[in-house]
Amino acid sequence: MVYKSINPYTGKINKTYEQINDSELENIIFSSSRAFRKWKNEPIEKRQDLLIKLADLLEIEKDFHAATITSEMGKPINQSIVEIEKSALACRYYAERADEFLKPVKQSSYAGTSIIRYDPQGIVFAIMPWNFPYWQVIRCMAPALAAGNSVLLKHASNVPQCAENIENAVINAGFPSGIFRNLLIDYDQVTTVIKSEYVRSVSLTGSNTAGIRIASLAGLNIKKLVLELGGNDAFVVFNDADLEKAAEALIYGRFQNTGQSCIASKRLFIHEQVYPEFLNLVTGRIKALSAGDPISHDTFIGPLVNESAVRKVERQVKETVEMGAEIILGGKAGIPRKGFFEPTVLINVNYDSPLAREEVFGPVLPVFSFKDYDELVCRVNQSRFGLGCSVFTSDNKLMEKLSVDIDTGTVVFNSFTKSDPALPFGGVKESGYGRELSEYGIMEFVNIKTVTVY
Ligand code: NAP
């Protein structure tokens, strides 16, 4: 298999890479396991210092890394820069807090006193997506390395340059050889890695199709697994909301990364009393979004990742219109040029249509109205996914009730849903299981070992 890095805006090939063969893979797994045995006994301060060096390096080389993201998957450059800054922040977060999270704890028990230790597991295998090609890798890798594991990465096949750059940054920061390796491998070789006795944990961020396959393999081989899958998040506007603020947040919530985010606000629910006013406000802002060359600092909407992504969004919109929805803005592929999908708003959307039920990875916003609390909660929770939800209201009592009733991994009030190194991130239902980031994220990659002396 040849890996092709293709610029989604120009259609030109940036670079190609060859897949590694099975014996090369075997050697890499073995050297990763050897690197782990040394690394796990290094003082944690050393692991933390290296993470700081990696953060410094990412910041120094920010423009280079951001340009690679943009040329490889089409993210508008300002947003690529933010992605690198946030990735550096995640390294700093674990560099500053890992020793505290991993400190052994004394625990009194029926036996007397025991010690709970947080030991590394071995090799962590990270299988990652293209949509945040640095952030997704680093939010898994930083806690895994801080905890004393080694990491093997199988990145999405359309972002091999990002994968190579991350590996180089890790080496240049001074991490020991073999501790983090990028693997150019196919799906059969993914199976080989998961089966390996040295690989103790798997972390997949990706689609539900990949989730089913990787969860089955991990299950068959009894490997610990974190699954970060798709989402169909709601964005809710109550009648007491600050409408200007909500409209501004929704632009980022739905349209940043050209709508290709797991926690994008993919369904808009507006209280009937403010429906016309809010719809007007938000469509006005969407019309003003500039689409064009993602390398320009003036661009907010870039191309979708590839032509098949455009065709998928087109199909989802078409079928939703066939089920009765009305397009009030946009709706077409190929504008302003091939590879793009226009920012699109639809009303009168059927709850059984693709835009209501499926994950839509593009700049498309289906709008629903609601009358009361019970109807809203029922509609928001009527999804196979359960990643996040954003709600705009000024009523504190309502916030308390919704925090309990909304069935997702994250609920955000008066902003759009975003991840933060210090906050646990993950989903329920078909959005997956396990948590990334925060103290909970590092705990996914440790052996919680109980030591008792009788
Ligand atoms: P994807 O097609 O599922 O790919 C994700 C990774 O899994 C890639 O490295 C891919 O490799 C690999 N993969 C896919 N099928 C595989 C199989 N059968 N065997 C072995 N490896 C396999 O997803 P994507 O298009 O890259 O990313 C978009 C999806 O990720 C969306 O659904 C989005 O919601 C989700 N996502 C979730 C989160 C979260 O935190 N919950 C965050 C970001 C993205 P290839 O590229 O070689 O196919």
Side-chain angles (χ1 to χ4, degrees):
M1 173 178 174
V2 176
Y3 284 77
K4 284 189 192 146
S5 164
I6 300 175
N7 184 319
Y9 184 69
T10 62
K12 291 201 177 114
I13 295 179
N14 297 314
K15 203 169 169 184
T16 58
Y17 297 78
E18 288 295 329
Q19 179 186 341
I20 59 170
N21 64 37
D22 290 349
S23 87
E24 286 168 319
L25 177 60
E26 203 180 306
N27 286 338
I28 293 174
I29 296 174
F30 189 69
S31 65
S32 174
S33 133
R34 217 174 26 216
F36 161 68
R37 286 198 297 277
K38 198 150 174 254
W39 180 243
K40 69 173 190 169
N41 292 318
E42 295 285 7
I44 186 149
E45 294 74 22
K46 179 169 175 189
R47 308 201 293 249
Q48 290 172 293
D49 283 349
L50 287 171
L51 279 173
I52 289 178
K53 292 209 172 83
L54 179 57
D56 291 344
L57 202 60
L58 288 171
E59 273 162 8
I60 293 165
E61 298 175 342
K62 174 163 72 182
D63 292 339
F64 160 74
H65 293 296
T68 310
I69 295 178
T70 297
S71 78
E72 215 165 33
M73 52 67 71
K75 182 172 301 191
I77 190 72
N78 291 347
Q79 299 169 35
S80 300
I81 292 170
V82 172
E83 179 171 344
I84 300 299
E85 290 168 347
K86 200 167 160 186
S87 302
L89 198 65
C91 293
R92 284 194 202 289
Y93 174 78
Y94 285 106
E96 284 160 14
R97 308 288 301 274
D99 53 343
E100 174 196 325
F101 296 150
L102 301 178
K103 208 170 166 183
V105 177
K106 256 191 183 176
Q107 177 72 52
S108 58
S109 64
Y110 294 116
T113 301
S114 300
I115 302 286
I116 319 273
R117 296 178 49 83
Y118 302 109
D119 286 352
Q121 297 167 337
I123 300 177
V124 171
F125 183 32
I127 307 172
M128 292 292 142
W130 52 266
N131 65 333
F132 287 87
Y134 276 67
W135 168 245
Q136 294 298 157
V137 172
I138 285 171
R139 81 179 188 184
C140 166
M141 176 189 89
L145 292 180
N149 303 284
S150 60
V151 175
L152 293 176
L153 168 69
K154 186 266 179 267
H155 214 329
S157 47
N158 58 326
V159 288
Q161 279 193 294
C162 290
E164 183 182 41
N165 291 352
I166 296 169
E167 186 178 51
N168 286 338
V170 171
I171 293 166
N172 294 338
F175 281 84
S177 157
I179 210 69
F180 174 83
R181 290 298 302 269
N182 167 40
L183 305 175
L184 291 164
I185 55 175
D186 66 14
Y187 291 178
D188 286 342
Q189 291 171 314
V190 165
T191 306
T192 305
V193 179
I194 294 175
K195 276 184 173 167
S196 164
E197 63 180 298
Y198 302 115
V199 172
R200 297 286 291 275
S201 230
V202 182
S203 181
L204 167 75
T205 301
S207 62
N208 287 58
T209 314
I212 291 166
R213 159 117 171 111
I214 301 301
S216 315
L217 282 169
L220 280 172
N221 292 282
I222 318 194
K223 298 293 161 85
K224 193 169 185 307
L225 178 64
V226 175
L227 273 187
E228 293 285 2
L229 306 179
N232 190 8
D233 290 9
F235 188 103
V236 181
V237 182
F238 274 92
N239 50 347
D240 62 350
D242 178 334
L243 298 187
E244 288 281 349
K245 195 174 157 198
E248 183 61 22
L250 181 56
I251 294 301
Y252 288 94
R254 172 68 279 205
F255 296 96
Q256 72 169 336
N257 205 17
T258 316
Q260 303 166 111
S261 165
C262 56
I263 43 167
S265 302
K266 296 182 181 114
R267 298 176 291 154
L268 170 61
F269 292 88
I270 314 174
H271 190 278
E272 60 176 10
Q273 283 172 8
V274 290
Y275 183 90
E277 190 184 349
F278 188 71
L279 196 56
N280 215 12
L281 257 181
V282 93
T283 47
R285 281 170 194 265
I286 297 168
K287 274 186 204 156
L289 295 176
S290 55
D293 188 345
I295 205 68
S296 160
H297 287 275
D298 296 328
T299 295
F300 192 82
I301 299 285
L304 294 188
V305 65
N306 53 36
E307 203 45 38
S308 80
V310 177
R311 295 283 86 82
K312 184 170 179 191
V313 172
E314 196 175 33
R315 193 266 300 159
Q316 289 170 315
V317 169
K318 181 171 169 279
E319 286 178 12
T320 301
V321 168
E322 283 165 4
M323 290 176 80
E326 184 190 337
I327 296 174
I328 58 163
L329 188 68
K332 289 201 182 68
I335 294 177
R337 58 186 267 165
K338 191 168 182 290
F340 282 70
F341 199 90
E342 279 185 295
T344 297
V345 180
L346 298 98
I347 55 172
N348 301 327
V349 177
N350 187 312
Y351 284 106
D352 288 324
S353 67
L355 291 190
R357 296 175 60 86
E358 296 175 11
E359 178 175 54
V360 181
F361 241 47
V364 176
L365 184 67
V367 186
F368 308 88
S369 90
F370 69 94
K371 280 193 186 59
D372 59 40
Y373 184 88
D374 289 341
E375 180 196 6
L376 186 260
V377 169
C378 169
R379 291 301 187 189
V380 167
N381 286 340
Q382 188 182 7
S383 170
R384 40 195 266 259
F385 299 108
L387 208 47
C389 177
S390 310
V391 183
F392 275 75
T393 174
S394 46
D395 181 339
N396 291 341
K397 284 252 152 36
L398 194 60
M399 290 186 207
E400 260 176 52
K401 246 165 96 67
L402 282 163
S403 318
V404 176
D405 289 341
I406 300 270
D407 194 11
T408 54
T410 297
V411 183
V412 171
F413 292 102
N414 300 326
S415 185
F416 61 98
T417 307
K418 48 199 154 197
S419 52
D420 180 310
L423 297 175
F425 183 93
V428 294
K429 301 194 268 183
E430 290 183 39
S431 289
Y433 45 77
R435 287 294 177 267
E436 290 195 289
L437 301 172
S438 77
E439 183 173 359
Y440 295 92
I442 201 168
M443 286 303 155
E444 299 283 356
F445 303 125
V446 296
N447 166 16
I448 303 172
K449 188 188 280 174
T450 305
V451 180
T452 308
V453 180
Y454 284 92

